[in-house]
């Protein structure tokens, strides 16, 4: 193991991920908000630093967004080779920055890119990585407690990185608290010049094709999710959920049991091995509420459960519960909503 002086490593870094349109992604904002909470425990001398790797265009919108969401400082590397995401060049640039600036912590979103990028960086700078965290804290020795489910979600592991730096982790989108942006906040911008070598690039992204869901909306973007489980009995019964989702302007999700049965695509799966969602309304139909399912939806604002077993664990997290047969309740609910829309003139 590489010997380092831990005292030299300071500040909480958050990797500022952009989407293909150059907008800062939601999980970066959630991480900045979490980093602020960590900073409160560590003291003001530990700064929250956003790290932006980007092309040579205007960065003012991105830096404004990062400052508004909690960054005290923004370390920027601008280079024409960083215009689009590249595994090799982004990892190289981040490793160079770590060697140069010595951060104590580095938090990265567990997005497709974050999952590609984080392990490469941690391996190259000889540190550990806790992947897919659901909570972050500071322990009594001032170390990052990276908390994540383990043993199939039945236990929470609290993982420390005692001897190497930075303390690195990835965190799933939508499991941490959403920040309230403050656009009056200012951050110091530190532009770091860097040489990068194009010959490092082994693969290139030629085009970005967003995934299209047949029902029009993915569960990650939906503010209303109607999810079904094994209790729905067959794939045909998911049509009822689609009707209700259409009336409410939402998307259809599924438990793993429904996906494993082949009733829904894996893209619709909510839970530990599926997507983490945080909609305004989550309606769980014929879903028992196993801990692995709850891991993906318990941060929803309002949860409604429909289950014929009054003792189903889903009722423990539900704000509203309906005990009964989902196949009777869902069409009745859809009908009521249609009638209400007609009565209020909201029907299209
Ligand atoms: P069940 O547990 O079988 O529940 C069906 C429910 O439907 C019951 O509560 C029953 O009372 C009710 N019901 C039956 N008929 C009706 C009816 N007519 N009307 C109303 N209610 C009815 N699961 C996930 O969902 N997502 C994950 O990402 C995930 N990851 C996992 C990862 C690991 C490592 C492991 C070990 C498991 C994972 N699971 C996951 C599986 C999880 O443990 C459960 O097995 C699964 O969530 C159960 O799905 P379900 O609630 O649809 O089915």
């Amino acid at each position: 193991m590489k010997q380092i002086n831990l005292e030299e490593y300071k500040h909480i870094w958050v990797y500022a991920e952009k989407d293909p349109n150059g907008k800062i992604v939601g999980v970066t904002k959630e991480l900045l908000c979490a980093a602020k909470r960590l900073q409160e425990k560590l003291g003001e001398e530990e700064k929250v630093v956003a790290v932006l790797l980007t092309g040579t265009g205007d960065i003012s919108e991105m830096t404004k967004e990062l400052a508004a969401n909690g960054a005290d400082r923004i370390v920027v590397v601008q280079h024409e080779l960083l215009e689009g995401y590249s595994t090799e060049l982004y990892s190289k640039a981040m490793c160079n920055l770590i060697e140069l600036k010595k951060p104590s912590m580095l938090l990265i979103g567990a997005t497709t890119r974050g999952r590609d990028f984080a392990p490469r960086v941690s391996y190259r700078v000889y540190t550990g990585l806790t992947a897919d965290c659901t909570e972050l804290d500071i322990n009594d020795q001032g170390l990052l407690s990276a908390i994540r489910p383990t043993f199939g979600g039945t236990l929470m592991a609290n993982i420390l990185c005692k001897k190497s730096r930075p303390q690195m982790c990835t965190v799933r989108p939508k499991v941490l608290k959403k920040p309230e942006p403050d656009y009056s906040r200012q951050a110091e911008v530190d532009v770091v010049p860097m040489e990068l070598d194009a010959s490092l690039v082994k693969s290139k992204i030629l085009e970005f094709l967003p995934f299209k869901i047949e029902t029009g909306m993915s569960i990650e973007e939906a503010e209303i999710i109607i999810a079904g489980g094994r209790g729905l009995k067959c794939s045909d019964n998911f049509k009822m959920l689609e009707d209700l989702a259409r009336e409410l302007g939402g998307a259809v999700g599924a438990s793993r049991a429904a996906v494993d049965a082949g009733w829904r695509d894996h893209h619709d799966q909510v839970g530990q091995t599926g997507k983490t969602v945080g909609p305004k309304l989550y309606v769980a139909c014929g879903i028992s509420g196993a801990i692995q399912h709850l891991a993906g939806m318990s941060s929803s604002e309002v949860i409604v459960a429909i289950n014929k077993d009054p003792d189903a664990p889903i009722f423990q997290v539900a704000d509203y519960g309906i005990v009964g047969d989902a196949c009777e309740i869902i069409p009745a609910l859809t009908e009521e909503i249609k009638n209400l829309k007609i009565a209020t003139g909201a029907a299209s």
Side-chain angles (χ1 to χ4, degrees):
M1 201 171 72
K2 195 179 160 195
Q3 293 297 318
I4 57 164
N5 177 4
L6 298 183
E7 299 295 315
E8 286 178 359
Y9 289 75
K10 297 237 165 336
H11 308 309
I12 310 163
W13 279 20
V14 173
Y15 168 56
E17 185 176 337
K18 308 162 275 142
D19 69 15
N21 302 315
K23 296 253 178 300
I24 300 297
V25 301
V27 67
T28 297
K29 299 174 193 173
E30 291 156 14
L31 288 173
L32 286 168
C33 181
K36 274 271 162 240
R37 289 196 295 277
L38 302 179
Q39 182 188 40
E40 277 163 25
K41 295 199 171 178
L42 288 167
E44 283 290 313
E45 62 282 1
E46 288 288 327
K47 300 289 175 215
V48 173
V49 180
V51 183
L52 181 62
L53 310 176
T54 188
T56 51
D58 180 23
I59 56 166
S60 56
E61 277 306 310
M62 289 188 278
T63 53
K64 198 161 91 188
E65 202 59 44
L66 294 168
N69 284 282
D72 302 317
R73 186 178 299 153
I74 304 166
V75 171
V76 183
V77 178
Q78 277 197 287
H79 195 291
E80 58 192 15
L81 291 174
L82 298 176
E83 194 60 53
Y85 176 73
S86 142
T87 302
E88 296 84 7
L89 292 173
Y90 272 55
S91 312
K92 178 72 182 155
M94 182 61 92
C95 293
N96 288 351
L97 284 177
I98 292 172
E99 301 257 311
L100 188 70
K101 305 249 174 202
K102 299 189 170 32
S104 172
M105 297 174 200
L106 172 56
L107 320 179
I108 298 175
T111 57
T112 308
R113 287 176 185 188
R115 286 172 198 221
D116 175 68
F117 172 68
R120 287 166 205 266
V121 172
S122 70
Y123 170 77
R124 284 173 176 79
V125 297
Y126 303 100
T127 193
L129 171 71
T130 308
D132 259 357
C133 296
T134 52
E135 235 179 292
L136 302 175
D137 203 354
I138 298 293
N139 82 350
D140 50 11
Q141 292 151 8
L143 293 170
L144 175 70
S145 286
I147 301 162
R148 54 151 298 151
T150 187
F151 287 107
T154 51
L155 287 177
M156 297 304 277
N158 193 329
I159 298 170
L160 304 175
C161 176
K162 291 185 176 173
K163 295 189 179 152
S164 52
R165 291 291 179 274
Q167 302 162 80
M168 279 184 68
C169 66
T170 62
V171 180
R172 281 183 163 218
K174 297 195 175 169
V175 293
L176 298 173
K177 208 173 131 221
K178 288 186 198 124
E180 292 289 338
D182 170 2
Y183 288 96
S184 67
R185 281 191 93 248
Q186 302 280 326
E188 171 198 336
V189 177
D190 174 9
V191 179
V192 179
M194 196 178 287
E195 295 287 321
L196 289 169
D197 181 357
S199 69
L200 282 177
V201 180
K202 298 197 183 76
S203 57
K204 249 188 193 164
I205 297 176
L206 300 179
E207 198 182 353
F208 178 75
L209 300 171
F211 179 74
K212 278 262 171 272
I213 303 271
E214 281 162 30
T215 50
M217 202 185 288
S218 75
I219 53 172
E220 289 124 306
E221 60 182 331
E223 295 208 323
I224 296 178
I225 296 175
I226 315 295
R230 194 171 0 229
L232 286 184
K233 310 244 173 357
C234 62
S235 70
D236 268 0
N237 282 340
F238 271 83
K239 293 204 181 92
M240 286 186 270
L241 304 198
E242 281 165 16
D243 290 344
L244 180 57
R246 200 172 309 110
E247 284 306 317
L248 293 171
V252 174
S255 72
R256 176 156 152 186
V259 171
D260 287 349
W263 303 341
R264 297 300 291 187
D265 194 277
H266 179 67
H267 288 293
D268 299 340
Q269 186 182 315
V270 175
Q272 191 186 316
T273 43
K275 308 247 167 74
T276 305
V277 295
K280 290 200 168 129
L281 173 66
Y282 189 89
V283 186
C285 313
I287 293 178
S288 58
I291 189 149
Q292 297 88 357
H293 187 81
L294 301 185
M297 47 64 76
S298 51
S299 63
S300 306
E301 280 177 35
V302 175
I303 299 171
V304 177
I306 306 173
N307 198 303
K308 65 179 193 186
D309 173 7
D311 297 322
I314 191 77
F315 287 125
Q316 286 165 24
V317 296
D319 299 284
Y320 301 94
I322 306 173
V323 178
D325 185 344
C327 300
E328 289 171 12
I329 292 163
I330 298 160
L333 209 54
T334 310
E335 210 44 44
E336 274 301 308
I337 290 164
K338 275 186 187 160
N339 291 340
L340 203 64
K341 280 165 108 179
I342 293 167
T344 58
S348 50

